[in-house]
Amino acid sequence: MLRVFMMENAGGGVADHIVNKFKKLNKTKVAVVAGTGNNGGDAFVVARHLAYYGTKITVILLGSPNDLKSEEARINWSILEKMNSIDLILAREVSQEIIKIINDAKIIIDGIFGTGIRGRIGEPHSSAIDAINRSKAYKVAVDVPSGLDPDTGEVHDKCVKADATVTFHRMKKGLPKKSVCGKIIVEPIGIPPDAEQ
C-alpha cells in the first residue's frame, strides 16, 4: 500500500513543478509519454494532477495496459481510463499522429524508463525518445531522463534531453549532467528513514 502513496507523491511533485513554472495552464497541450514500468505509473499521476488545471493532456502508453508491470501503475492507469478530460493512446509504434502530438505539445512529460535501463533501446521507445528530443516543448523527466544510467551518468544508446528532471527521495549519483537533466529538483516522496536501514 505504501508504494501507491509514494507513486502519488512522486507524480504530484512533478505536477507541482510544472504548475509553479507555468502558472497558467488552461488549454495548454501536454504530452505524457509513458512506459509500462513504475516510471510510467508516476507519469499517469502527473497527468491526473495536471488535468485539474484545464490542460489538454494526451497520455501515450508505449505498449498495452496488459504490459503494466506493477499493481500501482495498473491502479493509476485504470483511473485515467475513467477520465474524459485525458486522451489515451496505446502505441506499439510511433506513428505520424503520435509525432504530431509530441510536436504540438507545449510541455512533455518523459515517463518512459526509470532507473533500470542498460544497453540498446528498442522500439517504440527509441523513436519516442527521438521525437521528444526534436520537439521544442518544455521537457520534464520523471525521476531520471529516459536512457540515462542514474548510477554512472552514462548514456548507453540515447536519452531524453530534459529541461528539468524531478528526481525522487535523494540526488542520484549519475544525474548532475546539465546537458541532459536540465534543472534538477529533488522531491521527497515519503520514503521513511527506517526503509533505508
Side-chain angles (χ1 to χ4, degrees):
M1 197 63 191
L2 179 61
R3 285 186 169 162
V4 173
F5 293 123
M6 290 195 301
M7 187 171 280
E8 184 64 32
N9 292 342
V14 176
D16 285 348
H17 166 70
I18 291 164
V19 170
N20 291 334
K21 178 165 178 63
F22 284 91
K23 309 294 188 261
K24 284 200 172 116
L25 283 167
N26 192 34
K27 297 200 170 26
T28 300
K29 288 184 177 174
V30 180
V32 176
V33 187
T36 53
N38 275 340
N39 200 248
D42 295 338
F44 303 156
V45 176
V46 180
R48 174 163 43 83
H49 279 263
L50 290 180
Y52 171 79
Y53 296 93
T55 47
K56 294 174 75 74
I57 299 183
T58 304
V59 176
I60 300 158
L61 177 62
L62 302 175
S64 147
N66 300 332
D67 303 329
L68 291 170
K69 293 182 176 70
S70 74
E71 182 64 22
E72 301 80 56
R74 287 191 290 273
I75 287 168
N76 281 296
W77 177 260
S78 68
I79 295 169
L80 295 189
E81 288 183 316
K82 298 179 182 73
M83 293 176 66
N84 295 325
S85 53
I86 294 178
D87 291 331
L88 303 179
I89 294 180
L90 305 180
R92 291 253 175 238
E93 59 177 18
V94 176
S95 63
Q96 286 306 309
E97 179 205 4
I98 287 169
I99 290 170
K100 184 173 174 6
I101 290 165
I102 289 171
N103 277 339
D104 288 350
K106 184 174 180 186
I107 300 165
I108 295 172
I109 309 299
D110 160 31
I112 301 174
F113 297 125
T115 53
I117 183 69
R118 303 278 184 284
R120 273 195 77 71
I121 295 170
E123 292 297 346
H125 308 83
S126 180
S127 294
I129 289 171
D130 290 341
I132 291 169
N133 285 341
R134 281 195 302 266
S135 162
K136 292 183 170 58
Y138 181 78
K139 304 168 189 80
V140 183
V142 176
D143 202 21
V144 293
S146 292
L148 179 74
D149 184 322
D151 298 325
T152 64
E154 210 180 323
V155 177
H156 295 284
D157 181 7
K158 60 178 70 171
C159 81
V160 168
K161 292 178 175 59
D163 295 295
T165 299
V166 181
T167 196
F168 308 130
H169 185 51
R170 65 156 55 110
M171 178 63 89
K172 293 166 182 69
K173 211 165 48 196
L175 272 193
K177 271 201 162 176
K178 281 276 181 283
S179 60
V180 171
C181 299
K183 180 181 181 186
I184 299 172
I185 299 104
V186 179
E187 184 71 31
I189 57 169
I191 296 174
D194 322 50
E196 299 189 283
Q197 310 276 305

